[in-house]
Amino acid sequence: MSRFELLGKVPRTVVLAISGGVDSVAVLDFLSKNHELVGLHINHNEGNSDETEEFVRSLASKYQIPLNVVRISEPKPKQYSREEWWSINRYKTFHALEDIPVVTCHHLDDCVETWVYSSLNGNPSIIPYRNKNVIRPFLLNRKSVFIDWCLSRGLTWIEDESNQDLSHKRNYVRKILMPSCLEVNPGLHTVVRKKVILNNQNR
């Protein structure tokens, strides 16, 4: 079974952002052994979000952790895409917790996609380990590590229907552009991984 490599120490007591996807299910299972967790799930009120919320509630019950659910009801302003609006609301919720550490389950594939997307827009950037009280300890791990963890332990997860929508720029980068990028440079994840480590050293 693949093991996780942590980019920084995870505090003993944390709030874990649980989407219900493979990443958060794996991290929930991993952290539940030695950490005191409070789950946080954000329901965006779109697609299969209610089904996802029920799945996350069942996860919280299985692992016997408290769960807070925040439902986003405010309509999206015209100047934002749906993915931008979802991100704004997620971080608004996370940052409202102020000094309480919130763990998100971003991984190396997220870092590569962000670097490619931001580079195409003239501002290449790396997902940082910390954003105020939000920490991202799993940035050095490929998504395959999360999948292997869940499969080896018989864990199930739920797929967000919006992940198939190519009108979302992140999905377009992941599904359409990334295969070509890796054709040009098969070692792209190694390149970005080094940037993640360097960025962390300077934080």
Side-chain angles (χ1 to χ4, degrees), residues 44-57:
H44 294 289
N45 281 313
E46 292 202 31
N48 63 336
S49 57
D50 289 339
E51 176 189 355
T52 301
E53 178 184 326
E54 288 305 309
F55 177 77
V56 172
R57 289 187 182 278

Side-chain angles (χ1 to χ4, degrees), residues 5-183:
E5 182 179 359
L6 297 182
L7 183 69
K9 185 177 180 180
V10 179
R12 182 75 174 180
T13 302
V14 296
V15 172
L16 175 62
I18 307 174
S19 69
V22 64
D23 313 328
S24 62
V25 171
V27 171
L28 170 59
D29 187 69
F30 174 71
L31 292 182
S32 65
K33 307 297 186 294
N34 297 302
H35 294 79
E36 296 179 12
L37 304 177
V38 174
L40 174 60
H41 176 70
I42 298 178
N43 183 325
H44 294 289
N45 281 313
E46 292 202 31
N48 63 336
S49 57
D50 289 339
E51 176 189 355
T52 301
E53 178 184 326
E54 288 305 309
F55 177 77
V56 172
R57 289 187 182 278
S58 69
L59 278 177
S61 177
K62 172 183 175 181
Y63 287 92
Q64 299 182 318
I65 65 169
L67 176 69
N68 295 310
V69 175
V70 175
R71 298 181 69 90
I72 305 302
S73 57
E74 186 178 355
K76 179 184 73 66
K78 292 182 179 179
Q79 67 267 34
Y80 297 118
S81 68
R82 284 195 298 167
E83 54 189 331
E84 288 172 330
W85 185 237
W86 294 343
S87 179
I88 287 170
N89 279 283
R90 281 196 299 273
Y91 282 92
K92 180 180 178 181
T93 302
F94 298 159
H95 291 159
L97 298 175
E98 297 182 342
D99 295 330
I100 302 173
V102 177
V103 171
T104 67
C105 307
H106 291 86
H107 46 69
L108 184 57
D109 292 61
D110 292 321
C111 292
V112 173
E113 291 161 12
T114 295
W115 187 79
V116 169
Y117 175 73
S118 59
S119 295
L120 291 173
N121 285 277
N123 184 30
S125 59
I126 295 294
I127 297 175
Y129 168 79
R130 181 180 297 276
N131 178 348
K132 297 182 179 179
N133 62 316
V134 177
I135 59 175
R136 307 178 179 102
F138 297 91
L139 293 178
L140 299 180
N141 303 273
R142 294 289 305 270
K143 186 180 182 72
S144 59
V145 175
F146 298 79
I147 295 172
D148 288 347
W149 181 278
C150 288
L151 292 178
S152 66
R153 299 180 67 84
L155 304 176
T156 58
W157 60 90
I158 194 165
E159 296 289 347
D160 185 341
E161 289 179 350
S162 68
N163 288 338
Q164 305 304 316
D165 186 351
L166 294 183
S167 69
H168 292 190
K169 292 179 181 178
R170 175 56 65 89
N171 291 342
Y172 188 87
V173 170
R174 179 182 302 126
K175 295 180 177 297
I176 305 299
L177 296 186
M178 283 307 304
S180 296
C181 291
L182 293 172
E183 185 71 26

